[in-house]
Amino acid sequence: MADDSEIRPFRLDTSEEAITDLHRRVAATRWPSRELVTDRAQGVQLATVQELARYWTTEHDWRAFEAKLNALPQYTTEIDGVEIHFIHVRSRHEDALPLVMTHGWPGSVVELLDTIGPLTDPTAHGGRAEDAFHLVLPSLPGYGFSGEPTEPGWDSGRIARAWATLMARLDYPRYVAQGGDVGAAVTDAMGRQGPEGLLGIHLNLLAGALDLKDQLPAESEQERAARDAVDRFMTDGFGYFLEQATRPQTIGYSLLDSPVGLAAWMLDHDTDSYYKISRAFVDGEPVGNLTRETVVDNITLYWLTGTGASSARWYWEFARFKAAAQASGQAPPPVSVPVAFTTFPGEIWAAPRSWVETVYPSLGYFNEVDAGGHFAAWEEPDLFTTELRAAFGPLRKS
């Protein structure tokens, strides 16, 4: 009988038939007419998606990405009945601090790949040996190469417990955790659960702002701007969130049937990221590392793994967990470890320090940087790395 706790090597091997079918489906796309406005007010613009489709079938090299991924140490292990895929890169510096980083939606491990070198080998990237991390990058359940849950209940708390199991299975008795987007919710849950060995957490999205908006300060210009950004998201940027939180199965039929439909759905996330990605395709001028190549790598990963529906189900779990928590009237447990937070200017709402301190009284590190947005590690990996070095530096000797 196989040992459920066994850690098995993983290698990506995509069939040529799968790539051929993808290109055939893209070529057979039935296109809508052009939007009637000059911005994204009606959704993802036709010119952006048509250029993405052209690049996808004529220039994108999936085999190059496959080779890049296979050059990294990848593994799978079963945790709580789900096969979890993860990248595990140990630093050559033995005193490195173990770090588990969690991606979000519509991201994947793709958004974190360019941080691997700077985080694990700092002396080759402008840092010091004492800045080194041993890096664990798991794929969320139902995302990418991780298995799909076969029962409800895989909310952020359950994923957080799975990550604690993973770190223990990798023999890391002390470690830190980081996350943005869905990863921020998972990392927040880890901080509130306080598993043995967790020294601290770093976040770059204040997910709690959605629920606590009316309780957060709105006196300064910065605070009012953040409040306005939350309001705009709730009225004009919430479509994908609402659909996935209420009907992930319904949208899943489209996401698994049309590659271009999947691509458009994934691009229609937040205004800042959308315009940066659109600029990369239409103008050929990427912002940071949001290049045509990496964007299509990420979309292709979702397509080839058929995870459009299963990844969306986290939002359904999130909505039900939140509703149950509100019905109980009980406040969530406090975060029991030090919290670090970085505000990136292009985030959906750029949280001011006063907001972060309200949600996380144990805030130990806070910084506002001058570049980057929602996909901070993807867009600005060097700046992101600098933030993690600073945020977790004080915890290395604890």
Side-chain angles (χ1 to χ4, degrees), residues 21-31 53-54 56-57 259-260:
D21 177 67
L22 164 61
H23 291 172
R24 177 187 62 80
R25 288 172 179 265
V26 174
T29 300
R30 294 179 62 189
W31 296 100
R54 185 207 63 77
W56 206 350
T57 55
V260 167

Side-chain angles (χ1 to χ4, degrees), residues 200-265:
I201 62 174
H202 176 275
L203 307 167
N204 53 282
L205 174 69
L206 190 67
L210 286 178
D211 295 328
L212 300 174
K213 177 173 71 74
D214 294 333
Q215 303 172 38
L216 296 171
E219 298 176 2
S220 70
E221 182 178 348
Q222 184 185 28
E223 290 166 346
R224 289 192 296 272
R227 172 76 65 87
D228 290 345
V230 174
D231 289 339
R232 282 195 302 275
F233 177 74
M234 296 295 291
T235 57
D236 193 43
F238 203 59
Y240 78 90
F241 197 112
L242 183 61
E243 180 71 14
Q244 296 188 157
T246 58
R247 295 294 186 271
Q249 190 71 14
T250 301
I251 190 61
Y253 295 112
S254 298
L255 302 183
L256 270 74
D257 187 63
S258 167
V260 167
L262 172 68
W265 186 254

